[in-house]
Amino acid sequence: MKAKSMFKTILSLAAVGVLGACGSSNSSSGTTDTTEDKGMDTLGESVTFDPNKLVNDGEPIEIEYWTWNEGDPAITMAKEYEKIYPNVTIKVVNNPWDDYWTKLPLALKGESGPAIFNIHNSQHDLLMPYLAPYDIEVADLQADFTSVDPHIIDGNVYYIDSMINTGNIYYNKTLWADAGLTDSDIPKTWDEFSEVAKKLTKMDGDKITQAGFNWNGETYSALYQGLNYQDGQLLFKDNGTVVDYDNETTKDNLQFLIDLYDKEQVGSKDFGAESSQSFGNGQSAMVYKWGWFLNELDTNYPDIEYGVFATPTPSTETPFAYDRYNGESTPGINKNQSDDQQAVAQDFLRYCLANDDYSINGALAMASFPTKKSLAENADILANPVLEAIAPRVERLIWPGPFPATVESTGTETMEDVLFNGKDLDAAISDGQSKMESDMKDSDFTSLEDAYQYFDEAK
């Protein structure tokens, strides 16, 4: 059964600021401070952690934590937890992404799988049969995190979003300055963006030698969703059960992206297969990417001096939504493990959620905005260029839920048919709609778009 929100998906930053003192962590013990303001908008208390207790009656025990991500904040938290409880060993098993989703489901079917493991919400249906509900009051989670309501299933929570991510524009500061641009030239609208991209484009005759904007590769699958949402176009129809790809907004936005290449000539479909690499090599001045790109730049392209600004919008008016967001999930507990193992896993989970370091380290490692209310105005968070760009837009980001992969993969295939194969745009999008519907015919997915607090403003 899918989680269905009964409330609003994301609280306004103003409300978050009021509740900002709810979960400040005690760094020495991992416990949570309380204030008179705590829980003023909820009946719950903050998630707390008591280090002054025995775990597993003080007897030695080893549990496994599985993940695919070297930057997973739970890895560091596991080491700190072991310092508090020397009788507990948390063995971290790190598998590459593809291997992870092959091995984890098989392990969870038996009784020897990991007691606790990293979750990605795209695998919701795959994992739900193996998840134990959190041994934390839902109201307590709601008191500390903005992301709980969409994840309540029959009164229980099996995971929540510890942080959220969305798209932004990364720009090469050196190329920006070379073009005579300053901070005052950062575009607010797509028309302004097009003009800036032209200034950042270099030609040698008819050949582009520097792209002002490059959206080649997998960019389209995320970008078209954000563009549609900006125009008030939902991704799903018929009460959220049917994908809505074949519409005039999708057509207009794909044509807009193609026109940036063919008419405005700020880039080209032939200017490298992947925009990430082109930007990293200093050949493209601007790209649209999510938070993960910051880590890729710092790791693979440390010599690139880059900046980040919020994705432009159709006009200076506030749009229906600035973009789609997705969450980085908190860990899941394996219901097929022994009671002793589950108990330790639940206590470790509580330790993570009660401690601000878990959310801060994760947010900075993955350039994703924390959903913990106490961190909305945290100085370390806002010093990160991606998170600084996201912060003013948090309440106007929409989550459609963990939709099937075809919504993105078929979108990319449709774009490639038009851009590379010369297929008629209307026909390609119609065929894309048909394929998405076919791929989803056995899915019980229902969109969570109607949980968005500005849902009534959609077309």
Side-chain angles (χ1 to χ4, degrees):
M1 181 184 299
K2 293 288 188 300
K4 189 71 174 176
S5 173
M6 297 178 64
F7 307 97
K8 304 302 182 186
T9 302
I10 294 292
L11 300 178
S12 70
L13 285 178
V16 171
V18 170
L19 289 167
C22 289
S24 89
S25 169
N26 181 321
S27 60
S28 63
S29 66
T31 57
T32 302
D33 296 333
T34 59
T35 71
E36 292 181 0
D37 291 335
K38 175 174 64 59
M40 63 186 301
D41 283 347
T42 176
L43 297 177
E45 304 291 333
S46 291
V47 178
T48 59
F49 176 77
D50 177 16
N52 301 310
K53 64 181 185 306
L54 288 177
V55 171
N56 198 47
D57 295 326
E59 296 297 319
I61 187 171
E62 178 180 285
I63 67 171
E64 289 189 357
Y65 175 73
W66 283 25
T67 186
W68 66 85
N69 184 1
E70 292 286 354
D72 187 338
I75 296 174
T76 300
M77 301 304 294
K79 296 176 182 177
E80 296 302 315
Y81 185 87
E82 290 175 337
K83 294 177 183 178
I84 302 173
Y85 302 109
N87 64 304
V88 177
T89 299
I90 302 177
K91 180 181 177 182
V92 176
V93 178
N94 200 318
N95 287 297
W97 173 265
D98 290 338
D99 290 348
Y100 188 85
W101 296 113
T102 299
K103 295 177 179 179
L104 180 63
L106 295 174
L108 294 177
K109 290 179 180 180
E111 297 179 354
S112 59
I116 185 168
F117 50 91
N118 200 356
I119 283 181
H120 194 278
N121 61 24
S122 65
Q123 304 297 321
H124 177 94
D125 289 344
L126 180 69
L127 296 178
M128 274 306 300
Y130 309 110
L131 293 176
Y134 281 6
D135 188 19
I136 301 174
E137 292 292 332
V138 171
D140 293 351
L141 290 167
Q142 290 170 320
D144 279 354
F145 297 91
T146 64
S147 60
V148 178
D149 293 345
H151 297 287
I152 299 173
I153 303 175
D154 296 336
N156 293 313
V157 166
Y158 298 82
Y159 67 91
I160 62 172
D161 302 320
S162 58
M163 60 204 80
I164 62 173
N165 204 350
T166 192
N168 291 288
I169 303 296
Y170 290 73
Y171 68 100
N172 184 309
K173 286 188 172 183
T174 301
L175 303 183
W176 190 272
D178 289 347
L181 298 170
T182 67
D183 288 349
S184 64
D185 294 302
I186 290 176
K188 299 295 191 295
T189 68
W190 285 111
D191 285 343
E192 294 172 352
F193 180 84
S194 178
E195 293 305 311
V196 168
K198 291 177 185 177
K199 295 178 181 179
L200 289 165
T201 303
K202 292 183 179 180
M203 306 283 291
D204 182 5
D206 294 332
K207 181 180 179 182
I208 294 176
T209 58
Q210 177 180 298
F213 178 54
N214 189 329
W215 56 273
N216 291 347
E218 297 181 355
T219 297
Y220 172 75
S221 62
L223 186 52
Y224 92 80
Q225 296 166 33
L227 291 173
N228 278 17
Y229 278 137
Q230 288 186 354
D231 289 326
Q233 175 65 55
L234 298 174
L235 296 184
F236 298 91
K237 58 186 178 180
D238 297 347
N239 296 320
T241 60
V242 178
V243 69
D244 191 358
Y245 183 65
D246 186 5
N247 56 66
E248 291 306 311
T249 304
T250 302
K251 296 174 184 178
D252 289 345
N253 284 326
L254 177 53
Q255 190 63 60
F256 163 72
L257 292 172
I258 292 173
D259 285 348
L260 283 175
Y261 282 179
D262 292 349
K263 291 186 178 180
E264 307 299 339
Q265 294 188 313
V266 303
S268 167
K269 69 180 187 300
D270 301 317
F271 198 75
E274 179 49 60
S275 56
S276 299
Q277 184 178 18
S278 180
F279 185 87
N281 289 334
Q283 298 167 328
S284 292
M286 295 189 296
V287 290
Y288 168 91
K289 300 291 178 184
W290 283 41
W292 58 266
F293 191 52
L294 184 147
N295 293 324
E296 180 168 330
L297 288 172
D298 291 345
T299 301
N300 298 330
Y301 307 102
D303 295 332
I304 293 293
E305 186 180 2
Y306 62 87
V308 181
F309 61 82
T311 307
T313 52
S315 73
T316 56
E317 299 295 319
T318 301
F320 166 68
Y322 286 106
D323 207 335
R324 174 177 73 90
Y325 81 82
N326 198 31
E328 298 290 346
S329 303
T330 53
I333 307 293
N334 180 4
K335 74 176 186 180
N336 290 333
Q337 253 299 349
S338 67
D339 291 343
D340 290 346
Q341 293 245 331
Q342 287 190 55
V344 175
Q346 292 277 8
D347 193 64
F348 172 61
L349 172 73
R350 179 180 287 271
Y351 173 69
C352 290
L353 298 187
N355 195 316
D356 283 358
D357 288 345
Y358 172 75
S359 292
I360 292 173
N361 292 341
L364 296 179
M366 291 177 262
S368 298
F369 202 83
T371 65
K372 198 166 192 179
K373 299 173 184 178
S374 61
L375 302 178
E377 298 180 10
N378 179 275
D380 290 335
I381 296 298
L382 297 181
N384 180 289
V386 172
L387 304 185
E388 181 185 25
I390 293 174
R393 296 185 162 195
V394 167
E395 69 168 353
R396 280 277 180 176
L397 298 175
I398 184 172
W399 187 50
F403 53 70
T406 185
V407 176
E408 292 190 332
S409 61
T410 300
T412 297
E413 292 168 6
T414 299
M415 173 273 294
E416 290 173 344
D417 274 345
V418 177
L419 193 64
F420 293 98
N421 301 327
K423 188 171 182 177
D424 176 73
L425 188 147
D426 288 359
I429 288 178
S430 176
D431 289 346
Q433 172 77 30
S434 297
K435 186 175 188 305
M436 289 181 190
E437 288 187 19
S438 176
D439 290 344
M440 294 178 65
K441 68 179 185 303
D442 296 323
S443 170
D444 61 354
F445 172 79
T446 299
S447 168
L448 296 178
E449 289 171 321
D450 63 355
Y452 178 54
Q453 61 179 319
Y454 302 108
F455 177 76
D456 291 343
E457 295 179 15
K459 287 182 176 179

